[in-house]
Amino acid sequence: MTAIEDAVPSAATGAALIDGKAFAEALRGQVAQGAEQFARSTGQPPGLAVVLVGDDPASQVYVRTKMKTAADTGIRSFPHLWPGSTSQSALLELIRQLNEDPQVHGILVQLPLPAHLDEAQVIAAISPAKDVDGFHPINVGRLSQGTATLIPCTPLGCLLLLKDRLGDLSGLKAVVVGRSNIVGKPMANLLLQANCTVTILHSRSRNLEDECRQADILVLAVGAPRKFGAGYIKPGATVIDVGINRIVSEDGKSRLVGDADTDAVSAIAGAVTPVPGGVGPMTVACLLKNTLTAASAAEGLAFD
């Protein structure tokens, strides 16, 4: 993929703001071209089944965004919007049907699920070949082994931004703050495969500030609003802020902030992803990329 324009310098500090929104737009354009080629070759568009159980407002917004963006790139959505009272057996039966449906190439079950449902069992029921979130245990294992697989969308988006910004990552010291199965662990695996020297930090880690300050690449994924300031940053480091936290400002209005104190970090770092407009748009774009990858593999076609 052709690199997007250089990151935009921050007027206040001179540090670079990595424009994830622009990169995601370019990636969606690439996916749209691939989806058009797929449809010409197979007579049908790539298909993404989106399953939402319950009425969580944030999940509803995410699902609407994903389906609209899919449609804009030529991917057909199959929405399944089910009530919060849905049983485990009914949800598993739906997934079984979607696994067998040749028009469905990717299956996304929006998380979190209602408390009475077993998320692990639901994820494991999805065919690994259609697991566009990259959460199935088989795909997790493949990622840890470094073999080809569907990669979790947020870490994949982070890696694409890093490679676009820095080129070859070999030998760089990377620190990932957070050890979740969705971001922290797969992010660390991807950075290892890119030949970085990787450290994972978490709530029990000692000397957090000192460890972060060693990083050429610092990935923040803990959900701690503006916790990480200038004292955590190595001069010139690239900071990828995965945190999305809603806070109430002094004027009483709510707004989104990351895990980094962006103004303070920008005084030291070489580049940083803003929140919003950094990693967030990449997550949806990579979901569509994974859907096209899964569809192409199902039909014996190639998409890179």
Side-chain angles (χ1 to χ4, degrees):
M1 178 175 178
T2 303
I4 63 171
E5 294 179 358
D6 290 341
V8 179
S10 166
T13 65
L17 295 179
I18 300 173
D19 192 343
K21 185 176 179 180
F23 193 106
E25 183 178 357
L27 180 56
R28 291 196 304 272
Q30 186 186 37
V31 171
Q33 292 179 354
E36 183 179 2
Q37 294 170 1
F38 179 90
R40 286 201 303 265
S41 297
T42 66
Q44 67 172 343
L48 173 65
V50 181
V51 180
L52 173 63
V53 181
D55 54 4
D56 179 78
S59 293
Q60 290 177 337
V61 171
Y62 293 150
V63 164
R64 285 197 298 268
T65 299
K66 290 168 183 176
M67 290 194 297
K68 181 183 183 304
T69 309
D72 290 343
T73 55
I75 293 174
R76 181 182 178 188
S77 292
F78 298 89
H80 296 270
L81 311 180
W82 286 25
S85 59
T86 298
S87 68
Q88 183 85 0
S89 59
L91 183 56
L92 292 176
E93 174 59 21
L94 171 62
I95 292 172
R96 185 194 66 77
Q97 294 174 12
L98 296 175
N99 284 339
E100 296 179 358
D101 188 340
Q103 294 184 334
V104 173
H105 302 101
I107 301 171
L108 165 69
V109 176
Q110 182 66 44
L111 303 178
L113 291 171
H116 69 281
L117 298 175
D118 185 335
E119 287 188 358
Q121 187 180 23
V122 170
I123 291 169
I126 299 171
S127 167
K130 297 187 178 186
D131 168 38
V132 289
D133 264 335
F135 295 161
H136 192 284
I138 288 178
N139 288 332
V140 172
R142 288 171 177 163
L143 177 60
S144 70
Q145 292 178 330
T147 56
T149 191
L150 293 167
I151 299 169
C153 303
T154 299
L156 176 58
C158 294
L159 184 70
L160 293 175
L161 291 176
L162 284 168
K163 287 186 173 181
D164 184 69
R165 172 70 188 172
L166 300 173
D168 185 6
L169 306 183
S170 296
L172 296 180
K173 170 72 172 179
V175 172
V176 179
V177 187
R179 53 179 170 176
S180 73
N181 293 328
I182 294 174
V183 179
K185 291 175 183 176
M187 187 77 249
N189 275 319
L190 288 174
L191 289 166
L192 279 172
Q193 292 174 29
N195 299 313
C196 293
T197 301
V198 181
T199 298
I200 302 177
L201 303 178
H202 48 79
S203 60
R204 302 296 179 88
S205 296
R206 299 177 180 177
N207 304 317
L208 185 67
E209 190 169 330
D210 291 341
E211 292 285 350
C212 289
R213 207 163 43 238
Q214 304 304 310
D216 302 304
I217 296 168
L218 180 61
V219 181
L220 303 174
V222 290
R226 297 188 296 191
K227 172 181 174 62
F228 297 86
Y232 291 83
I233 309 302
K234 176 181 179 179
T238 299
V239 179
I240 303 295
D241 190 352
V242 185
I244 301 179
N245 312 285
R246 187 170 294 279
I247 65 168
V248 178
S249 303
E250 294 179 358
D251 59 6
K253 296 181 180 179
S254 67
R255 64 189 183 98
L256 294 178
V257 300
D259 289 348
D261 182 342
T262 305
D263 289 341
V265 165
S266 295
I268 306 296
V272 60
T273 55
V275 177
V279 173
M282 291 296 296
T283 298
V284 177
C286 288
L287 171 68
L288 304 179
K289 174 180 168 67
N290 278 352
T291 301
L292 181 55
T293 297
S296 299
E299 300 294 336
L301 303 174
F303 170 72
D304 184 5

